[in-house]
Amino acid sequence: MPSLRFLPVSPRSLLRQQGRALWWVVLLVLMAAAVGGGLWWKQRQAAPAQADASAGRGGPGGPGGRGPARFSAGGQTQPVSVGVVRRQDVRVQVNAIGTMSARATAVVRAKVSGELIRLHFKEGEEVKAGQLLAEIDPRSYQASLGQVQGNLARDQALLKNAQLDLQRYQDLLAKDSIASQQVDTQAAQVRQLEGTVAADQAQVDAARLQLSYTRITAPIAGRLGLRQADRGNVVGPSDATGIVTINLVRPIDAVFSVPEAHLAQINQRLAQGAELPVELWDREQKRRLARGRLGALDNAIDATTGTIKVKASFANEDGTLFPNQFVNVRLQVNLLENALTVPGTAIQNNYVYLVQPDGTVTQRRIRVGVADGDRVAVEGELKDGDQVVVDGIDRLREGAKVAVIDSGAAARADEAVQEGGARRAAMRNLTQEERDRFAKMTQEERRAFLRSKRNQPGAAGPAGAASGTVGGEPATAAPAPAASAEGGAPGGERRPGMSPEVRALLDKMSPEERQKLQAMAPDERRAFIGGKMQAAGMAAPGAAASR
């Protein structure tokens, strides 16, 4: 086996090899740095072009109003809706939760025991005080009355006879023909019989009263509840539920609690003789139920809650309020006269965007006061008649250029698109005979006909029409009616509140754009219409006033 031999390496050659490898490493590092720098420079040059392309593709003027350009400066004109600053009286109200309470409640019970033979009322109806409600079998009470009346007649006859004897005895005593003791005895007997007749008369009155109790009448006026006893039942004074319950609900009261912090102001207004208005609202606080006035305050504050109970009265003439009904209460404790107000949607973080005459916006710091409905009392550098932005605030900044879009026009255009889609769906479901008859109708007759077809049970909406089925059967295809220049809305129907600009915009849209517009959400649809109007150079109503 041959042996391995190692050649000697000099230190000089070893250093030369290491130096050559170090140069290769440095060269590779420089090449990597150059490649990275080139890529970085290319990305930096491409970023502005990409931002411009995304701004033109997804900005507020494009479809949907989405994308990065929505919040970029860009110098673009932003479509917004505005509200007007105005002076008006503002109510200072205290909100509370209350419960309705009947002014008076009576449980109708039988005062005598017996069998119910007649009922003279209907459940839930209104009755007057003294109105006949039910009758109990009166025969036993009539017999009792006859018995005591007989006793009374007998004792009255005995009394009459005793009085005649006393008269005779007194005549004989005057002639000294009879002893005075006999006269005194007869007088005592007369007085005894008079007492007996009086007792009999009381028994007759009691029996007659018991007989009257067999006719059960309403003790108070009000609304009847559900009956608790039926004909043929034996009722009596000890029945807990009685026959029926009556609640006096005209007028009716609302009981609620207010914080003790408002007590001084309420007492001050009451001492001045002012009537404090009270409003009742439903659970969602969308519908006002009634208006009334403050009636009375409790005599003590609840220490556990720090509130005091308040009672307000309401006429309830229409009978919509019921006892134990839950209500939201708004008590007006004061009135700010001629206060500066703005729409509540215009306020964000104690400032508003004011639209200036040159079409730009500027921020105005305000102090927020009390709210009355959808308007809020404010203090700040605003004056009556100024316009503030109420929709589109998130896209604005100081000095941004805006175009005032009538929010009502966008909403009406949205409604027109939805109405047109429903109308096209109804047209697709018509038979050939119905189409021929439809062509001969007047405009009003066509509207009524399509409305009746859409309201029919099982009628397909836009989704069902798109799928081509109505009630599970294939629907006859029909071309969708185009938007006419006369009406400006899809389907040829004129929208009375639609502006000419929106009608002209809808007329210029292709069927594909209308279908795309119909598929959008309401917010996207309004933004799309605003962008289209801006791109076409159409000024929405109210835009001229802002410039």
Side-chain angles (χ1 to χ4, degrees):
M1 179 176 180
S3 60
L4 297 178
R5 299 178 61 184
F6 296 94
L7 298 177
V9 180
S10 65
R12 192 173 207 179
S13 63
L14 183 61
L15 289 174
R16 189 182 300 112
Q17 293 177 1
Q18 291 179 353
R20 192 178 294 113
L22 181 62
W23 278 108
W24 277 107
V25 171
V26 172
L27 182 61
L28 290 175
V29 170
L30 292 176
M31 291 177 63
V35 171
L39 292 177
W40 172 80
W41 180 256
K42 178 184 273 188
Q43 291 179 357
R44 183 176 179 183
Q45 292 295 327
Q50 184 178 2
D52 294 341
S54 62
R57 195 171 49 247
R66 301 178 184 273
R70 179 180 180 183
F71 301 99
S72 62
Q76 296 184 0
T77 301
Q78 303 291 345
V80 296
S81 299
V82 299
V84 180
V85 180
R86 66 170 181 262
R87 291 191 175 274
Q88 66 179 43
D89 295 340
V90 178
R91 300 170 296 176
V92 181
Q93 295 179 325
V94 177
N95 297 329
I97 297 175
T99 305
M100 303 309 299
S101 175
R103 180 65 59 88
T105 301
V107 179
V108 180
R109 294 188 178 90
K111 297 181 181 180
V112 294
S113 299
E115 179 186 352
L116 279 177
I117 58 175
R118 293 184 186 89
L119 293 174
H120 298 279
F121 67 90
K122 294 181 180 180
E123 298 170 315
E125 69 176 355
E126 296 280 344
V127 296
K128 299 180 180 179
Q131 180 177 335
L132 180 63
L133 300 179
E135 292 185 57
I136 296 176
D137 187 1
R139 291 175 295 179
S140 61
Y141 300 98
Q142 289 174 346
S144 299
L145 176 61
Q147 181 180 2
V148 295
Q149 284 177 340
N151 294 335
L152 175 60
R154 180 196 60 194
D155 293 336
Q156 284 177 341
L158 293 175
L159 175 59
K160 186 65 175 178
N161 185 45
Q163 289 174 345
L164 292 176
D165 288 344
L166 178 60
Q167 185 66 33
R168 296 189 193 100
Y169 290 165
Q170 289 175 349
D171 291 342
L172 293 175
L173 181 61
K175 299 177 181 179
D176 198 18
S177 299
I178 192 174
S180 59
Q181 181 180 1
Q182 190 173 357
V183 176
D184 296 338
T185 302
Q186 186 63 30
Q189 187 177 2
V190 169
R191 290 192 295 270
Q192 180 181 358
L193 291 174
E194 287 176 347
T196 301
V197 169
D200 292 341
Q201 184 62 50
Q203 290 180 354
V204 169
D205 294 340
R208 186 175 287 112
L209 181 61
Q210 293 290 98
L211 180 61
S212 67
Y213 286 159
T214 60
R215 294 172 58 86
I216 303 174
T217 58
I220 61 174
R223 178 181 292 160
L224 295 174
L226 303 179
R227 68 173 183 270
Q228 304 298 322
D230 296 322
R231 180 180 174 182
N233 295 156
V234 176
V235 296
S238 60
D239 295 340
T241 58
I243 299 175
V244 71
T245 302
I246 303 177
N247 285 328
L248 178 59
V249 294
R250 298 183 184 179
I252 193 171
D253 297 328
V255 179
F256 56 97
S257 299
V258 298
E260 60 178 325
H262 301 285
L263 183 58
Q265 189 174 12
I266 294 175
N267 285 329
Q268 181 181 2
R269 294 295 306 280
L270 292 177
Q272 296 172 355
E275 289 188 356
L276 302 185
V278 181
E279 294 181 353
L280 299 182
W281 293 73
D282 60 357
R283 288 181 178 270
E284 291 77 18
Q285 296 196 12
K286 296 181 179 179
R287 184 171 64 93
R288 184 175 58 204
L289 303 177
R291 287 179 175 177
R293 60 183 181 85
L294 186 66
L297 299 174
D298 201 358
N299 59 358
I301 296 175
D302 189 350
T304 58
T305 60
T307 59
I308 185 170
K309 286 187 177 181
V310 181
K311 180 182 288 187
S313 60
F314 301 86
N316 196 26
E317 295 177 355
D318 54 357
T320 57
L321 300 176
F322 283 79
N324 299 330
Q325 179 181 356
F326 172 86
V327 289
N328 286 293
V329 184
R330 298 180 184 178
L331 170 62
Q332 179 180 331
V333 298
N334 201 357
L335 181 67
L336 303 180
E337 298 181 354
N338 200 27
L340 194 66
T341 63
V342 299
T345 54
I347 302 174
Q348 283 198 356
N349 299 327
N350 293 328
Y351 70 87
V352 296
Y353 275 106
L354 175 66
V355 180
Q356 301 185 104
D358 59 353
T360 61
V361 293
T362 180
Q363 287 187 2
R364 285 287 188 269
R365 179 69 60 177
I366 59 173
R367 184 188 303 173
V368 180
V370 297
D372 185 2
D374 58 350
R375 300 194 67 85
V376 181
V378 297
E379 294 180 1
E381 298 180 4
L382 298 174
K383 61 180 182 296
D384 192 9
D386 286 345
Q387 290 184 333
V388 292
V389 179
V390 297
D391 187 17
I393 301 177
D394 55 341
R395 300 188 295 268
L396 300 180
R397 59 181 177 81
E398 180 68 25
K401 192 77 173 178
V402 297
V404 178
I405 302 297
D406 183 13
S407 58
R412 288 189 293 270
D414 183 13
E415 181 184 356
V417 172
Q418 293 179 351
E419 186 75 12
R423 187 177 296 104
R424 288 194 296 273
M427 288 295 296
R428 293 190 185 98
N429 302 332
L430 297 181
T431 62
Q432 187 61 40
E433 180 182 357
E434 288 175 330
R435 288 198 193 93
D436 296 339
R437 192 168 69 252
F438 181 81
K440 301 177 182 179
M441 294 180 182
T442 63
Q443 192 71 15
E444 296 296 333
E445 291 175 346
R446 289 180 180 180
R447 294 174 186 171
F449 176 75
L450 292 175
R451 192 179 301 112
S452 63
K453 293 295 289 184
R454 291 196 300 269
N455 294 335
Q456 286 181 357
S467 63
T469 60
V470 180
E473 297 182 2
T476 305
S484 65
E486 176 187 3
E493 181 179 350
R494 177 181 291 275
R495 306 302 298 179
M498 187 181 299
S499 63
E501 293 82 0
V502 177
R503 282 200 292 268
L505 178 65
L506 292 177
D507 290 340
K508 295 180 180 179
M509 288 185 183
S510 62
E512 293 78 10
E513 286 179 323
R514 292 194 196 95
Q515 186 176 3
K516 182 179 180 181
L517 185 66
Q518 182 183 350
M520 292 181 182
D523 294 338
E524 295 178 350
R525 191 178 296 123
R526 295 188 185 98
F528 177 73
I529 292 173
K532 280 286 187 181
M533 294 176 68
Q534 177 186 350
M538 298 181 182
S546 66
R547 290 180 172 87

